[in-house]
Amino acid sequence: MIHNFHIPVMGLAYTIDTPLRVASYGIDSVISIVDDELAEKMRAFFCKKYSLPYTPIPTKIQDYRARRITGYLDLMDKLVKEKFKKFSEELSTNRHELEKFVTMLPKTSVIKKKLENLSSDRFFGRAGKVIRDYLSPGAIDVNIMTKVDKTNYRGKTALPSLYNDAHAALRGFANSTLNSSLVLSAGMNPSLYSYVGTFKDFFPDREGVLKKKIVLKVSDFRSAMIQGRFLAKKGIWVSEYRVESGLNCGGHAFATDGLLLGPIMEEFAERRQELAKTAHELLVKALEDKGIRAPESPMDIRITVQGGVGTFEEHEFLLQHYKADSVGWGSPFLLVPEATSTDRATRKLLAGAGEDDLYRSNISPLGVPFNTVTGTTNDYFKAQRIKANRAGSSCPKKLLALNPEFGKEGICTASRKYQQAKLKETEPEQGGISQEILKRRREITAKSCLCVGLANPAYLEKNMEIRGEQQGVVICPGPNIAYFHKEVSLREMVRHIYGYTSVLKKESHRPHMFIKEIQLYIDYLTKEIEEETGTTTRAGLKRWHAFKNNLLLGIAYYEDLFTRTSFFGSDRESIKARLA
């Protein structure tokens, strides 16, 4: 492995072509494959850019969604391989470029050590061999949010589940030429998980090798064990468990019941072998039942972590103390034009955003808190429509049309049809409008069209035509972006990760990632209690108490951790003071 960090999926468009930008350097990244229309438009764009033949895949043909996704992923695979080949050749013949590349590698890199040990008189004779032997392109991994699995219809007739959105996206990846991983996020979808087992590339071949791997994004060890066992019973091995902070991350914020990242990672470190052993026993039986040769011992399991990391010290601590295999760096890369896709105005907005500008919103039609920033163009256009009594989106894509309130086909709560109907329900029969009605109206109109808003950044960056109603841009950074204040190059950001330099605001007084997460969870619980309307159930009170107790256990864990760790040097006292 060349690098010990990866770039997670961000929104729909922010990492849509990230592999083409960074894979040559050996950096792994993740593409969202939720939006087939975006994938098709990106395929058309890159075919034109690289003078490749392009045949459109229209919505009228059978299985167009899966075929569009396959087409785009195959193109990415082809382009990344070609770009990597040219990059490798350049490194072998251009000493300046090679030296620049070496400065982007971690101190523990095998390539770095071997190249630095070459004598100058025989440098190029051997440098090419080192590059060929040890350098490989970063993975083109893909992400599916398991719950974004809308049933599709032909006329009024529901199509079979294999044509559901997430099922079709899975099929698109499975049929592609990629040799990489499928990241499943947002919880378990039994139907989708079972569908994985219908594709041979997810099973080990005769040499015990998996062409396509499964990565589960999980919130805690219990979730990992349950989902890993479920898939193992289908003969599917989980190659990686990707642990993400519940609140100190970008995008949707799936809060735990007060369980904090440090104690969660400690449990993974202690019970890693148990996780592998339990899954292996179930896997062997399932594979034997299918007539597939089972591996004699458990296959490799990677434990990775992401959410709020922002310094080299935090990065190294996660790798060394918890034995994490890789650390995800997401939001900071939104300020790296060489790595992610977005428009200049949005990057400028992010660069200027402070702690008070970043917040958990209720704009997602999924009904899950969604991290965002004040001042987006989406906020502006949404406000203009509300002012003109035209609240809601035209809903052209319907990827989040999951609300069954107005029919089995589902409707998106950000759509104009839904919001106008719900606003009509709030009209008083007589008299003025109460504060309660105003609050309810704000709740209805808060929802944003994520399908369009999260795709627009790629179109704007590439000067592509955007048809239909103006939605602007939705951006979903984590709170950590507050401490990064300017656009930086890919080389600068990677060197920041590895501790060669720093791109943080010097005056930012950035809290340690664990301390920041505690504060986010306390704020989350406080807000829940403050918004209580007096109808708390016994179960609700029980959950609050469990939440509080988990936070107290986590704080006690950190008090002990920061007392005994040798990491963080002189910062330990300030960390302990903030913790107190």
Side-chain angles (χ1 to χ4, degrees), residues 204 214 216 221 223-241 271-288 294-303:
I214 292 294
L216 290 184
F221 186 85
S223 173
M225 184 69 86
I226 291 171
Q227 294 185 69
R229 285 171 58 90
F230 183 94
L231 284 162
K233 289 177 182 178
K234 308 290 182 183
I236 302 299
W237 182 255
V238 177
S239 298
E240 177 184 330
Y241 293 91
R271 302 179 67 184
R272 184 175 188 152
Q273 297 306 314
E274 177 188 347
L275 189 64
K277 183 176 182 293
T278 302
H280 176 71
E281 291 169 354
L282 295 170
L283 182 84
V284 169
K285 184 179 184 304
L287 291 179
E288 288 175 348
E296 294 181 4
S297 57
M299 290 184 281
D300 289 340
I301 281 184
R302 285 163 48 86
I303 305 296

Side-chain angles (χ1 to χ4, degrees), residues 49-115:
K49 180 177 179 178
Y50 292 100
S51 300
L52 296 170
Y54 169 71
T55 302
I57 301 174
T59 57
K60 293 181 180 180
I61 69 170
Q62 179 77 9
D63 206 22
Y64 72 89
R65 179 173 168 78
R67 292 177 62 178
R68 283 177 162 185
I69 291 166
T70 301
Y72 182 65
L73 296 180
D74 285 352
L75 178 64
M76 279 289 106
D77 191 28
K78 172 185 170 65
L79 294 177
V80 164
K81 286 174 179 174
E82 290 176 353
K83 190 173 181 180
F84 175 75
K85 182 181 178 182
K86 291 178 182 177
F87 181 67
S88 299
E89 291 170 353
E90 183 177 27
L91 293 183
S92 300
T93 56
N94 187 326
R95 183 159 191 156
H96 175 67
E97 287 302 314
L98 181 58
E99 287 173 346
K100 277 175 57 180
F101 173 65
V102 170
T103 64
M104 292 173 61
L105 297 173
K107 298 179 180 73
T108 55
S109 166
V110 174
I111 304 175
K112 185 182 183 77
K113 291 177 180 177
K114 286 190 174 293
L115 289 172

Side-chain angles (χ1 to χ4, degrees), residues 427-465:
E427 292 178 1
E429 293 182 6
Q430 57 184 6
I433 299 176
S434 68
Q435 289 299 312
E436 187 62 33
I437 289 177
L438 288 173
K439 179 184 176 184
R440 176 62 185 137
R441 288 186 174 183
R442 285 194 295 269
E443 290 172 350
I444 293 167
T445 58
K447 304 303 179 188
S448 292
C449 178
L450 300 189
C451 300
V452 175
L454 288 174
N456 278 346
Y459 301 150
L460 290 168
E461 183 200 48
K462 293 173 174 59
N463 295 315
M464 296 166 66
E465 182 184 7

